[in-house]
Coordinates of all heavy atoms in Angstrom, one line a residue:
K1 N -9.1 -2.2 -1.7 CA -9.7 -1.4 -2.9 C -8.7 -1.4 -4.1 O -9.1 -1.5 -5.2 CB -10.1 0.0 -2.5 CG -11.3 0.0 -1.6 CD -11.7 1.4 -1.2 CE -12.9 1.5 -0.3 NZ -13.3 2.9 0.1
T2 N -7.4 -1.1 -3.7 CA -6.4 -1.0 -4.8 C -6.1 -2.3 -5.4 O -5.8 -2.5 -6.5 CB -5.1 -0.3 -4.2 OG1 -5.5 0.9 -3.6 CG2 -4.2 0.0 -5.4
K3 N -6.2 -3.4 -4.5 CA -6.0 -4.7 -5.0 C -7.1 -5.1 -6.0 O -6.8 -5.7 -7.1 CB -6.1 -5.7 -3.9 CG -5.9 -7.2 -4.3 CD -5.9 -8.1 -3.1 CE -5.6 -9.5 -3.5 NZ -5.6 -10.5 -2.3
K4 N -8.3 -4.7 -5.7 CA -9.5 -4.9 -6.7 C -9.2 -4.2 -8.0 O -9.5 -4.7 -9.1 CB -10.8 -4.4 -6.0 CG -12.0 -4.7 -6.9 CD -13.3 -4.2 -6.2 CE -14.5 -4.3 -7.1 NZ -15.7 -3.8 -6.4
A5 N -8.7 -2.9 -7.9 CA -8.4 -2.1 -9.1 C -7.3 -2.8 -9.9 O -7.5 -2.9 -11.1 CB -8.0 -0.7 -8.7
A6 N -6.3 -3.3 -9.2 CA -5.2 -3.9 -9.9 C -5.6 -5.2 -10.6 O -5.2 -5.5 -11.8 CB -4.1 -4.2 -8.9
Q7 N -6.5 -6.0 -10.0 CA -7.0 -7.2 -10.5 C -7.9 -7.0 -11.8 O -7.8 -7.7 -12.7 CB -7.7 -8.0 -9.5 CG -6.8 -8.6 -8.4 CD -7.5 -9.3 -7.3 OE1 -8.7 -9.0 -7.0 NE2 -6.8 -10.2 -6.6
Y8 N -8.6 -5.9 -11.7 CA -9.5 -5.5 -12.8 C -8.6 -5.1 -14.0 O -8.9 -5.6 -15.2 CB -10.5 -4.4 -12.5 CG -11.4 -4.0 -13.6 CD1 -12.4 -4.8 -14.0 CD2 -11.1 -2.9 -14.4 CE1 -13.2 -4.5 -15.1 CE2 -11.9 -2.6 -15.5 CZ -13.0 -3.4 -15.8 OH -13.7 -3.1 -16.9
I9 N -7.6 -4.3 -13.8 CA -6.7 -3.9 -14.9 C -6.0 -5.0 -15.4 O -5.7 -5.1 -16.6 CB -5.8 -2.8 -14.4 CG1 -6.6 -1.5 -14.1 CG2 -4.7 -2.5 -15.4 CD1 -5.8 -0.4 -13.4
Q10 N -5.6 -6.0 -14.6 CA -4.9 -7.2 -15.0 C -5.7 -8.0 -16.0 O -5.3 -8.5 -17.0 CB -4.4 -8.0 -13.8 CG -3.4 -9.1 -14.1 CD -4.0 -10.4 -14.7 OE1 -5.2 -10.7 -14.4 NE2 -3.3 -11.1 -15.5
K11 N -7.0 -8.1 -15.6 CA -7.9 -8.9 -16.4 C -8.1 -8.2 -17.8 O -8.3 -8.9 -18.8 CB -9.3 -8.9 -15.7 CG -10.3 -9.8 -16.5 CD -11.6 -9.9 -15.8 CE -12.6 -10.8 -16.5 NZ -14.0 -10.8 -15.9
Q12 N -8.0 -6.9 -17.9 CA -8.2 -6.2 -19.2 C -6.9 -6.1 -20.0 O -7.0 -5.8 -21.2 CB -8.7 -4.8 -18.9 CG -9.9 -4.6 -18.0 CD -11.1 -5.5 -18.5 OE1 -11.4 -5.6 -19.6 NE2 -11.7 -6.2 -17.5
T13 N -5.8 -6.4 -19.4 CA -4.5 -6.3 -20.1 C -3.8 -7.6 -20.3 O -3.0 -7.7 -21.2 CB -3.6 -5.3 -19.4 OG1 -3.3 -5.8 -18.0 CG2 -4.2 -3.9 -19.3
G14 N -4.0 -8.6 -19.4 CA -3.2 -9.8 -19.4 C -1.8 -9.6 -18.9 O -1.0 -10.5 -19.1
A15 N -1.6 -8.5 -18.2 CA -0.2 -8.2 -17.7 C 0.1 -9.0 -16.5 O -0.8 -9.6 -15.8 CB -0.2 -6.7 -17.3
D16 N 1.4 -9.1 -16.2 CA 1.8 -9.8 -15.0 C 1.5 -8.9 -13.8 O 1.4 -7.6 -14.0 CB 3.3 -10.1 -15.0 CG 3.7 -11.1 -16.0 OD1 2.8 -11.9 -16.4 OD2 4.8 -11.1 -16.5
I17 N 1.3 -9.4 -12.6 CA 0.9 -8.6 -11.5 C 1.6 -9.0 -10.2 O 1.8 -10.2 -10.0 CB -0.7 -8.7 -11.3 CG1 -1.2 -7.7 -10.2 CG2 -1.1 -10.1 -11.0 CD1 -2.7 -7.6 -10.2
V18 N 1.9 -8.1 -9.4 CA 2.6 -8.4 -8.1 C 2.2 -7.3 -7.1 O 2.1 -6.1 -7.4 CB 4.1 -8.4 -8.2 CG1 4.7 -7.1 -8.7 CG2 4.8 -8.9 -6.9
E19 N 1.9 -7.8 -5.9 CA 1.6 -6.9 -4.8 C 2.8 -6.7 -3.9 O 3.5 -7.6 -3.6 CB 0.4 -7.5 -3.9 CG 0.1 -6.6 -2.7 CD -1.0 -7.2 -1.8 OE1 -1.3 -8.4 -2.1 OE2 -1.5 -6.5 -1.0
I20 N 3.1 -5.4 -3.6 CA 4.2 -5.2 -2.7 C 3.7 -5.0 -1.3 O 2.6 -4.4 -1.1 CB 5.1 -4.0 -3.1 CG1 4.3 -2.7 -3.3 CG2 5.9 -4.3 -4.4 CD1 5.1 -1.4 -3.5
R21 N 4.5 -5.5 -0.3 CA 4.1 -5.4 1.1 C 5.2 -4.8 1.9 O 6.4 -5.0 1.6 CB 3.7 -6.8 1.6 CG 2.6 -7.4 0.9 CD 2.2 -8.8 1.4 NE 3.4 -9.7 1.5 CZ 3.8 -10.4 0.4 NH1 3.1 -10.3 -0.7 NH2 4.8 -11.2 0.5
A22 N 4.9 -4.1 3.0 CA 5.9 -3.5 3.8 C 6.4 -4.6 4.8 O 5.7 -5.4 5.2 CB 5.3 -2.3 4.6
T23 N 7.7 -4.5 5.1 CA 8.3 -5.5 6.0 C 7.6 -5.4 7.4 O 7.3 -6.4 8.0 CB 9.8 -5.2 6.2 OG1 10.5 -5.3 4.9 CG2 10.5 -6.1 7.1
K24 N 7.4 -4.1 7.8 CA 6.6 -3.9 9.0 C 5.2 -3.6 8.6 O 4.8 -2.5 8.1 CB 7.1 -2.7 9.8 CG 6.4 -2.4 11.1 CD 6.9 -1.2 11.8 CE 6.1 -0.9 13.0 NZ 6.6 0.4 13.7
P25 N 4.2 -4.6 8.7 CA 2.9 -4.4 8.2 C 2.2 -3.2 8.8 O 2.4 -2.9 9.9 CB 2.2 -5.7 8.6 CG 3.3 -6.7 8.8 CD 4.4 -5.9 9.3
Y26 N 1.3 -2.6 8.0 CA 0.4 -1.6 8.5 C -0.7 -2.2 9.3 O -1.1 -3.3 9.0 CB -0.1 -0.8 7.3 CG 0.9 0.1 6.6 CD1 1.7 -0.4 5.6 CD2 1.0 1.5 7.0 CE1 2.7 0.4 5.0 CE2 2.0 2.3 6.4 CZ 2.8 1.7 5.4 OH 3.8 2.5 4.8
G27 N -1.2 -1.4 10.3 CA -2.2 -1.9 11.2 C -3.6 -1.6 10.6 O -3.8 -1.6 9.4
D28 N -4.5 -1.3 11.6 CA -5.9 -0.9 11.2 C -5.8 0.5 10.5 O -4.8 1.2 10.4 CB -6.8 -0.9 12.3 CG -6.4 0.0 13.5 OD1 -5.6 0.9 13.3 OD2 -6.8 -0.3 14.6
Y29 N -7.0 1.0 10.1 CA -7.1 2.2 9.4 C -6.6 3.4 10.2 O -5.8 4.2 9.7 CB -8.6 2.5 9.0 CG -8.7 3.8 8.2 CD1 -8.4 3.9 6.9 CD2 -9.2 4.9 8.9 CE1 -8.5 5.1 6.2 CE2 -9.4 6.1 8.2 CZ -9.0 6.2 6.9 OH -9.2 7.4 6.2
A30 N -7.0 3.5 11.4 CA -6.6 4.6 12.3 C -5.1 4.7 12.5 O -4.4 5.8 12.3 CB -7.3 4.6 13.6
S31 N -4.5 3.6 12.8 CA -3.0 3.5 13.0 C -2.2 3.7 11.7 O -1.2 4.3 11.7 CB -2.6 2.2 13.7 OG -2.9 1.1 12.8
S32 N -2.8 3.3 10.6 CA -2.2 3.4 9.3 C -2.2 4.9 8.8 O -1.2 5.4 8.3 CB -2.9 2.6 8.2 OG -2.8 1.2 8.5
V33 N -3.3 5.6 9.1 CA -3.3 7.0 8.8 C -2.2 7.8 9.6 O -1.5 8.6 9.0 CB -4.7 7.6 9.1 CG1 -4.7 9.1 9.1 CG2 -5.8 7.0 8.2
K34 N -2.1 7.4 10.8 CA -1.1 8.1 11.7 C 0.3 7.8 11.2 O 1.2 8.7 11.1 CB -1.3 7.6 13.1 CG -0.4 8.3 14.2 CD -0.7 7.8 15.6 CE 0.3 8.5 16.6 NZ 0.0 8.0 18.0
R35 N 0.5 6.5 10.9 CA 1.8 6.1 10.4 C 2.2 6.8 9.0 O 3.3 7.2 8.8 CB 1.9 4.6 10.3 CG 3.2 4.1 9.6 CD 3.2 2.6 9.6 NE 4.3 2.1 8.8 CZ 4.5 0.8 8.6 NH1 3.7 -0.2 9.1 NH2 5.5 0.4 7.8
A36 N 1.2 6.8 8.2 CA 1.4 7.4 6.8 C 1.8 8.9 7.0 O 2.7 9.3 6.3 CB 0.1 7.3 6.0
K37 N 1.1 9.6 7.8 CA 1.5 11.0 8.0 C 2.9 11.2 8.6 O 3.6 12.1 8.1 CB 0.5 11.7 9.0 CG -0.9 11.9 8.4 CD -1.9 12.6 9.4 CE -3.2 12.8 8.8 NZ -4.2 13.4 9.8
Y38 N 3.2 10.3 9.5 CA 4.6 10.4 10.1 C 5.6 10.1 9.0 O 6.7 10.7 8.9 CB 4.7 9.4 11.2 CG 6.0 9.4 11.9 CD1 6.4 10.3 12.8 CD2 6.9 8.3 11.6 CE1 7.6 10.3 13.5 CE2 8.2 8.3 12.3 CZ 8.5 9.3 13.2 OH 9.8 9.3 13.8
E39 N 5.4 9.0 8.2 CA 6.4 8.7 7.2 C 6.5 9.8 6.1 O 7.6 10.1 5.7 CB 5.9 7.4 6.5 CG 6.1 6.1 7.3 CD 5.5 4.9 6.7 OE1 4.7 5.0 5.7 OE2 5.8 3.8 7.2
Q40 N 5.4 10.4 5.7 CA 5.5 11.4 4.7 C 6.2 12.7 5.3 O 7.0 13.3 4.6 CB 4.0 11.8 4.3 CG 3.4 10.7 3.4 CD 2.0 11.0 3.1 OE1 1.3 11.7 3.7 NE2 1.5 10.3 2.0
K41 N 5.9 13.0 6.5 CA 6.5 14.2 7.1 C 8.0 14.0 7.3 O 8.7 15.0 7.1 CB 5.8 14.5 8.5 CG 6.4 15.7 9.2 CD 5.7 15.9 10.6 CE 6.2 17.1 11.3 NZ 5.6 17.3 12.6
N42 N 8.4 12.8 7.6 CA 9.8 12.6 7.9 C 10.6 11.9 6.7 O 11.7 11.5 6.9 CB 10.0 11.7 9.2 CG 9.5 12.5 10.4 OD1 10.2 13.3 11.0 ND2 8.2 12.2 10.8
N43 N 9.9 11.8 5.6 CA 10.5 11.2 4.4 C 11.0 9.8 4.7 O 12.1 9.4 4.3 CB 11.6 12.0 3.9 CG 12.0 11.7 2.4 OD1 11.1 11.3 1.6 ND2 13.2 11.8 2.1
I44 N 10.2 9.0 5.4 CA 10.6 7.6 5.8 C 10.1 6.7 4.7 O 8.9 6.7 4.4 CB 10.1 7.2 7.2 CG1 10.7 8.1 8.2 CG2 10.3 5.7 7.4 CD1 10.1 7.9 9.6
K45 N 10.9 5.9 4.1 CA 10.5 4.9 3.1 C 10.6 3.5 3.7 O 11.7 3.0 3.9 CB 11.5 5.1 1.9 CG 11.5 6.5 1.3 CD 12.6 6.5 0.2 CE 12.7 8.0 -0.4 NZ 13.3 8.9 0.6
P46 N 9.4 2.9 3.9 CA 9.4 1.6 4.5 C 10.0 0.5 3.6 O 9.8 0.6 2.4 CB 7.9 1.4 4.8 CG 7.2 2.2 3.8 CD 8.1 3.5 3.7
K47 N 10.6 -0.4 4.2 CA 11.2 -1.5 3.4 C 10.2 -2.4 2.8 O 9.1 -2.7 3.5 CB 12.2 -2.3 4.3 CG 13.5 -1.6 4.7 CD 14.4 -2.5 5.5 CE 15.7 -1.8 5.8 NZ 16.6 -2.7 6.6

């Protein structure tokens, strides 16, 4: 969804665009929610 938003904004602005990805990829929705909460609670910044 955010990729779609970024691409739409890029089309309207002509700006350069880049997607950032985590070194350790996020899994499915359920595991990502769990991981997100853990990272936020423990101030973990993924590479």
Side-chain angles (χ1 to χ4, degrees):
K1 290 181 180 178
T2 307
K3 181 176 183 177
K4 182 180 177 182
Q7 290 175 334
Y8 180 76
I9 292 171
Q10 194 278 332
K11 185 179 179 182
Q12 307 309 315
T13 60
D16 293 335
I17 186 169
V18 62
E19 178 180 11
I20 55 173
R21 302 180 302 276
T23 301
K24 181 183 177 182
Y26 288 84
D28 58 21
Y29 179 77
S31 63
S32 295
V33 168
K34 186 177 179 180
R35 176 177 167 181
K37 288 180 178 179
Y38 180 79
E39 288 176 344
Q40 289 174 341
K41 182 180 179 181
N42 295 280
N43 197 33
I44 296 172
K45 303 175 182 68
K47 290 183 179 180

